[in-house]
Amino acid sequence: MAQQTTVSELRRERFARRLPADLSALRGPARGSVRLPLHLAWSGLTEYDLDRPRLRMSCYRTVLAEGGRDDLVRHLNRDLLVEMWPVLRTLVSKDLRAVWEDAFRELAPEPATASAGGRAG
């Protein structure tokens, strides 16, 4: 009997196919205004001011969730993504977060360290 693929697995496969080969490929703007095409921003805001943190976060969340590889490369900036990731990771789906963190170690959260008062072992 064939094993059934879960919705989560399908979503992860879809997100993984869109990934750039390396984060350095993300060469989008770091400042100013960005106008997203309708296939990305099909509902609501289409223009985002990257100099405003909330709008920047919203823009990145939209592009990560809706964009293809070309969209990711065109609209996301590697340095901004890495800087924003600790918060942004809490605003995207679990599947999207897992795919990006598995592919790019610089996005993975640092492992919890022993407390300062703990014994070394």
Side-chain angles (χ1 to χ4, degrees):
M1 182 181 252
Q3 184 173 347
Q4 202 168 18
T5 304
T6 67
V7 172
S8 181
E9 290 168 333
L10 290 173
R11 286 171 47 91
R12 288 178 190 221
E13 288 174 18
R14 188 184 71 186
F15 290 132
R17 284 193 304 269
R18 300 174 181 181
L19 290 174
D22 189 78
L23 285 184
S24 64
L26 303 178
R27 297 180 182 255
R31 300 193 55 104
S33 183
V34 171
R35 180 177 294 278
L36 297 182
L38 287 178
H39 72 273
L40 293 177
W42 46 267
S43 173
L45 213 55
T46 59
E47 190 164 342
Y48 298 85
D49 182 351
L50 298 180
D51 297 319
R52 297 180 61 193
R54 286 185 141 188
L55 290 176
R56 181 174 58 234
M57 195 73 67
S58 181
C59 177
Y60 272 57
R61 185 176 173 197
T62 299
V63 174
L64 285 166
E66 302 296 334
R69 182 175 295 147
D70 291 343
D71 298 311
L72 298 170
V73 169
R74 181 179 302 115
H75 298 292
L76 301 182
N77 177 282
R78 182 238 177 251
D79 294 338
L80 282 181
L81 179 68
V82 171
E83 176 187 318
M84 294 184 335
W85 190 255
V87 173
L88 187 58
R89 71 183 303 276
T90 68
L91 302 174
V92 298
S93 74
K94 178 176 70 172
D95 295 325
L96 190 148
R97 178 176 58 243
V99 166
W100 279 78
E101 290 179 352
D102 288 347
F104 306 113
R105 288 290 154 217
E106 56 264 66
L107 297 180
E110 295 191 24
T113 56
S115 64
R119 291 189 314 186

